[in-house]
């Protein structure tokens, strides 16, 4: 790490936008080893709707290579202050944290807020006049109901450590707040999973589904998510029939689930939680209780009404009980938001003014009701609703849809994982074109191995060598899941899309290399595994000291042992020949 001496440890924070009859206070409550925490409070003598209030400070732009935000994907560059777009965070969008990282991946400044439920805006932008980063957090950008008191905490960290360590520290800090306590994570949430979406879409066939379950189970997959299509015969990829959730396409759902269980697989169903299609019975029943009817997909339920929430809770609990489900994929949570036509004047039976507060209540009650039925139930959410509040209700976070995009899958897994704590982090479902060469298809799988793999391939139609490849990686993942999921995780070079990742635990290190990159080893490990996630026939290693001899086994992407040899991991640079998407497994002599 480069010494981080030029930053102001305690930047002066300005409070902007204070209004008459509103009092604000900012009090430092913690100051240790480069981390400062403040209490920020807004009070009023009477209920009133506050105008936006901003906390702002600046730091010198010294050794800042990029700016990490939770879901910016490839865009981790430095933003100028004349670029007006800010990051939005609320219960179901992003996480209230930003990290400035340096040229050696070190933390320059990471700042976060404990307000993970209500909407706020954040940014860190460079001002060219003084070459400083101006950081800010703005509250009450969407305030449409009155309040008397608002309190939150701000955490600012300029410790000289890897930026991922600073992000993990923020995640641990969030866990200390009662309103952000994470849900229990059952073992099944960290098992490879088969999904129906990319290969079936809505055209589900029961006999074929059962055959796919048997094949997937043989390869090491432990659960299946039945995605969109089970509830309707409509195959237009629309949501006109959502809201009633009757199993039209799989009418004997309990029997179907029983048959899946007999293959050894767990079963989850997909639901688009906010949507109430205009062709559903529920649309007529809840007329006047929508956040909007002008949505590209379908009208959106208004969770500020208790009968709306109870209706959704009953849908899921009845399904869990009647069909003996093991899990749920609860989708489109981010569409619970304020729209231009969202009513601010509510009916007398509404019990929440805040949409985000109502979503918190809905999802809390859903999780409590489902875990009462089955304590081991798994609940999946996908980006962007993978923030600290969502950890209260779900135990599986999945990378946002990126079919056929191995690089994006790798990147999104890392971005979620640094903030997810012990919540299971899953890849997007792996898929590829039928004509894809084997090693290129293998890239799709090997890029997911630092998350829990999800597969969306029609196995009954997949050629044997591709099945061998899937089986090899899945077996490897299952055998090494404890290290992969619970080890110390370090992704490198965020601006280069994490060309290497590594995880270590109990003397074993697993390194993935995904571009022409030199793997640096500084410490001795009893086991060293290197995943060659590139179309190159070697990996290049640089040892900073002599590590001694290792017995190396070289495997291709189908799991065939290509070579076994003794290799001296001497100080300096050397290479090991390994097939594209193969694995090097080295054991200390």
């Amino acid at each position: 790490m480069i010494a981080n001496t030029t930053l102001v440890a305690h930047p002066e924070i300005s409070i902007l936008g204070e209004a008459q009859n509103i009092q604000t206070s900012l009090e430092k409550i913690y100051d240790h080893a480069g981390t400062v925490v403040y209490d920020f409070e807004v009070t009023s003598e009477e209920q009133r709707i506050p105008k936006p209030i901003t906390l702002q400070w600046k730091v010198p732009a010294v050794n800042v290579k990029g700016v990490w935000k939770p879901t910016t994907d490839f865009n981790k560059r430095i933003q100028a202050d004349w670029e007006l777009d800010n990051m939005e965070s609320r219960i179901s969008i992003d996480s209230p944290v930003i990290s400035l990282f340096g040229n050696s991946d070190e933390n320059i400044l990471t700042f976060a807020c404990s307000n993970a439920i209500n909407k706020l805006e954040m940014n860190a932008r460079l001002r060219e006049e003084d070459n400083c980063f101006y950081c800010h957090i703005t509250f009450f950008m969407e305030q449409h109901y009155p309040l008397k008191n608002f309190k939150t905490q701000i955490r600012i960290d300029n410790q000289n450590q890897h930026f991922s360590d600073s992000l993990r520290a923020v995640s641990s800090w969030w866990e200390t707040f009662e309103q952000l306590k994470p849900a229990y994570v059952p073992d099944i949430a960290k098992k490879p999973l088969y999904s129906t979406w990319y290969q079936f879409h809505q055209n589900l066939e029961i006999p074929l589904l059962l055959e796919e379950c048997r094949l997937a189970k043989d390869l090491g997959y432990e659960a299946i998510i039945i995605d969109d299509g089970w509830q309707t015969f409509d195959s237009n990829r629309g949501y006109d029939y959502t809201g009633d959730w009757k199993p039209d396409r799989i009418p004997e759902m309990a029997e179907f689930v029983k048959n899946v269980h007999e293959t050894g697989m767990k079963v989850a169903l997909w639901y688009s939680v906010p949507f109430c299609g205009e062709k559903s019975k529920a649309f007529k029943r809840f007329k006047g209780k929508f956040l909007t009817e002008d949505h590209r997909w379908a009208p959106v339920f208004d969770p500020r009404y208790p009968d709306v929430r109870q209706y959704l809770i009953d849908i899921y609990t009845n399904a869990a009980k009647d069909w003996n489900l093991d899990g749920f994929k609860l989708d489109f949570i981010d569409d619970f938001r304020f729209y231009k036509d969202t009513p601010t004047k509510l009916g007398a039976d509404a019990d929440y003014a805040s949409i985000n507060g109502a979503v918190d209540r809905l999802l809390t009650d859903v999780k409590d009701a489902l875990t009462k039925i089955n304590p081991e139930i798994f609940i999946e959410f996908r980006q962007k609703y993978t923030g600290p509040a969502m950890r209260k209700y779900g135990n599986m976070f999945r990378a946002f849809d990126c079919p056929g995009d191995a690089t994006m899958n790798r990147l999104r897994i890392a971005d979620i994982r640094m903030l997810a704590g012990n919540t299971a982090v899953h890849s997007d479902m792996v898929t590829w074109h039928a004509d894809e060469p084997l090693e290129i298809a293998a890239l799709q799988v090997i890029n997911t191995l630092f998350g829990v793999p999800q597969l969306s391939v029609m196995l009954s139609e997949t050629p044997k060598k591709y099945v061998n490849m899937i089986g090899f990686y899945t077996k490897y993942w299952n055998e090494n899941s404890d290290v992969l999921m619970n080890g110390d995780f370090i992704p490198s070079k965020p601006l280069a899309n994490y060309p290497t990742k590594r995880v270590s635990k109990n003397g074993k290190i697993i390194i993935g290399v995904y571009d022409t990159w030199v793997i640096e080893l500084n410490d001795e490990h009893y086991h060293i595994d290197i995943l060659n996630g590139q179309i190159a026939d070697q990996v290049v290693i640089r040892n900073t000291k002599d590590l001694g001899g290792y017995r190396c086994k070289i495997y291709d992407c189908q799991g065939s042992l290509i070579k076994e040899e003794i290799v001296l991991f001497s100080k300096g640079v050397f290479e090991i020949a390994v097939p594209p998407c193969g694995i090097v497994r080295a054991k200390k002599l």
Side-chain angles (χ1 to χ4, degrees):
M1 293 292 177
I2 296 173
N4 197 355
T5 57
T6 58
L7 279 182
V8 178
H10 312 304
E12 181 179 344
I13 300 176
S14 301
I15 303 176
L16 309 176
E18 296 177 81
Q20 190 175 7
N21 300 319
I22 294 282
Q23 292 80 46
T24 61
S25 65
L26 185 68
E27 178 187 0
K28 186 189 300 181
I29 61 170
Y30 178 87
D31 185 351
H32 181 70
T35 298
V36 184
V37 178
Y38 298 90
D39 268 343
F40 176 59
E41 189 167 10
V42 178
T43 58
S44 173
E45 292 183 358
E46 59 185 39
Q47 293 270 349
R48 63 176 66 247
I49 299 176
K51 300 294 184 182
I53 296 177
T54 297
L55 302 182
Q56 179 178 283
W57 65 96
K58 68 176 182 178
V59 294
V62 176
N63 188 34
V64 178
K65 185 172 185 177
V67 179
W68 187 96
K69 300 172 187 175
T71 58
T72 47
D73 291 337
F74 295 139
N75 189 12
K76 293 178 171 66
R77 64 174 179 84
I78 292 171
Q79 186 179 3
D81 69 341
W82 40 261
E83 299 180 73
L84 300 180
D85 293 339
N86 292 312
M87 187 189 94
E88 174 189 341
S89 171
R90 53 184 165 87
I91 188 171
S92 57
I93 287 287
D94 273 329
S95 304
V97 60
I98 291 176
S99 181
L100 282 65
F101 57 88
N103 284 277
S104 298
D105 289 353
E106 68 270 48
N107 171 58
I108 304 299
L109 185 79
T110 296
F111 63 98
C113 181
S114 65
N115 175 27
I117 292 177
N118 300 310
K119 178 178 176 178
L120 54 78
E121 289 188 355
M122 303 175 66
N123 221 332
R125 296 182 295 202
L126 183 70
R127 182 171 295 177
E128 59 194 55
E129 283 81 1
D130 61 2
N131 284 311
C132 286
F133 278 93
Y134 283 74
C135 307
H136 80 263
I137 304 174
T138 301
F139 303 94
F140 313 126
M141 292 295 294
E142 196 178 73
Q143 192 71 23
H144 55 271
Y145 58 92
L147 51 79
K148 286 184 67 175
N149 180 266
F150 172 82
K151 191 172 183 178
T152 191
Q153 288 187 4
I154 310 299
R155 186 182 191 275
I156 300 176
D157 167 13
N158 74 338
Q159 294 185 71
N160 184 29
Q161 59 187 359
H162 197 275
F163 83 99
S164 66
D165 290 328
S166 289
L167 291 173
R168 275 187 287 271
V170 169
S171 179
S172 297
W173 175 66
W174 281 327
E175 292 181 18
T176 66
F177 294 90
E178 191 60 37
Q179 73 272 22
L180 299 177
K181 294 289 185 185
Y184 163 71
V185 182
D187 289 343
I188 189 61
K190 292 187 176 182
K191 300 293 185 182
L193 183 152
Y194 178 93
S195 168
T196 63
W197 181 241
Y198 289 137
Q199 75 280 44
F200 283 96
H201 286 97
Q202 292 175 309
N203 300 307
L204 301 171
E205 301 176 26
I206 294 174
L208 185 53
L209 281 172
L210 293 173
E211 175 62 17
E212 290 292 300
C213 285
R214 286 187 281 269
L215 294 171
K217 175 64 177 177
D218 288 344
L219 291 173
Y221 291 81
E222 300 294 336
I224 182 171
I225 289 181
I226 310 296
D227 213 295
D228 190 4
W230 64 267
Q231 80 289 356
T232 179
F233 285 108
D234 178 51
S235 299
N236 294 313
R237 290 182 64 175
Y239 300 90
D240 286 346
Y241 293 91
T242 56
D244 294 338
W245 300 107
K246 304 298 182 184
D248 290 349
R249 197 181 290 264
I250 309 179
E252 301 299 327
M253 183 63 78
E255 181 67 19
F256 170 74
V257 171
K258 178 177 178 290
N259 290 335
V260 173
H261 283 160
E262 289 175 355
T263 72
M265 298 274 276
K266 303 287 188 182
V267 187
L269 291 184
W270 168 92
Y271 290 84
S272 57
V273 178
F275 296 156
C276 185
E278 294 182 0
K279 296 181 181 179
S280 70
K281 294 178 182 178
F283 176 72
K284 297 176 183 177
R285 173 179 169 181
F286 291 103
K287 188 72 174 175
K289 294 183 177 181
F290 296 108
L291 295 172
T292 183
E293 292 187 28
D294 186 24
H295 190 285
R296 64 178 294 202
W297 297 122
V300 177
F301 280 120
D302 190 339
R304 293 175 293 181
Y305 290 92
D307 57 333
V308 170
R309 297 197 304 272
Q310 192 59 53
Y311 174 76
L312 294 172
I313 293 166
D314 290 344
I315 290 285
Y316 311 135
T317 53
N318 289 336
K321 289 185 292 188
D322 296 345
W323 301 333
N324 196 24
L325 295 177
D326 306 289
F328 289 79
K329 176 180 178 177
L330 300 181
D331 216 348
F332 294 103
I333 307 298
D334 49 336
D335 283 294
F336 282 127
R337 63 181 179 86
F338 195 86
Y339 297 85
K340 62 182 179 180
D341 57 338
T342 296
T344 55
K345 186 175 182 180
L346 299 172
D349 54 336
D351 60 352
Y352 277 82
S354 165
I355 296 170
N356 294 318
V359 172
D360 180 46
R361 175 65 182 275
L362 168 65
L363 296 178
T364 297
D365 290 350
V366 166
K367 188 266 291 184
D368 289 347
L370 290 176
T371 53
K372 187 175 181 180
I373 296 167
N374 178 4
E376 298 296 310
I377 206 149
F378 63 93
I379 300 174
E380 182 197 274
F381 297 125
R382 65 170 170 174
Q383 281 175 310
K384 293 183 172 181
Y385 35 100
T386 52
M390 301 305 294
R391 291 185 65 200
K392 295 167 57 178
Y393 333 112
N395 41 46
M396 290 168 48
F397 286 169
R398 178 174 64 79
F400 185 71
D401 305 29
C402 49
D405 192 338
T407 302
M408 185 65 85
N409 218 348
R410 175 180 82 241
L411 184 151
R412 287 174 170 166
I413 289 167
D415 283 346
I416 300 172
R417 181 165 176 173
M418 285 183 281
L419 292 177
N422 72 331
T423 302
V425 176
H426 284 238
S427 73
D428 185 35
M429 298 85 73
V430 167
T431 188
W432 57 78
H433 190 277
D435 295 333
E436 191 75 275
L438 176 64
E439 288 78 9
I440 306 297
L443 284 174
Q444 299 293 336
V445 186
I446 201 169
N447 272 273
T448 71
L449 298 186
F450 288 85
V452 183
Q454 288 201 16
L455 183 70
S456 201
V457 172
M458 196 75 78
L459 292 170
S460 56
E461 299 176 3
T462 300
K464 182 173 176 53
K465 62 181 181 179
Y466 292 77
V467 172
N468 291 341
M469 176 266 291
I470 295 168
F472 169 57
Y473 289 137
T474 308
K475 181 181 179 182
Y476 176 84
W477 193 93
N478 281 324
E479 290 175 348
N480 294 278
S481 60
D482 180 49
V483 178
L484 287 165
M485 290 294 93
N486 303 316
D488 295 327
F489 174 62
I490 302 177
S492 73
K493 305 301 176 189
L495 272 173
N497 304 321
Y498 309 122
T500 67
K501 295 180 180 181
R502 60 183 65 201
V503 65
S504 57
K505 184 180 180 184
N506 297 335
K508 180 163 189 172
I509 187 168
I510 300 174
I511 302 170
V513 56
Y514 304 100
D515 209 337
T516 306
W517 213 265
V518 177
I519 301 165
E520 186 170 289
L521 290 173
N522 302 309
D523 300 306
E524 184 177 288
H525 300 273
Y526 189 69
H527 291 278
I528 300 173
D529 287 0
I530 300 173
L531 316 180
N532 182 26
Q534 54 180 333
I535 302 303
D537 56 8
Q538 77 283 323
V539 294
V540 180
I541 301 168
R542 175 179 176 267
N543 292 325
T544 58
K545 57 186 177 183
D546 287 326
L547 300 181
Y550 284 78
R551 180 177 299 278
C552 289
K553 294 183 177 181
I554 315 297
Y555 298 88
D556 68 12
C557 69
Q558 294 187 68
S560 298
L561 180 62
I562 301 301
K563 189 176 183 180
E564 184 172 354
E565 60 182 344
I566 304 299
V567 176
L568 293 177
F569 279 53
S570 303
K571 182 178 180 180
V573 177
F574 65 102
E575 67 178 46
I576 298 177
V578 55
C581 293
I583 295 179
V584 179
R585 308 198 69 177
K587 183 177 181 180
K588 181 76 174 171
L589 293 175

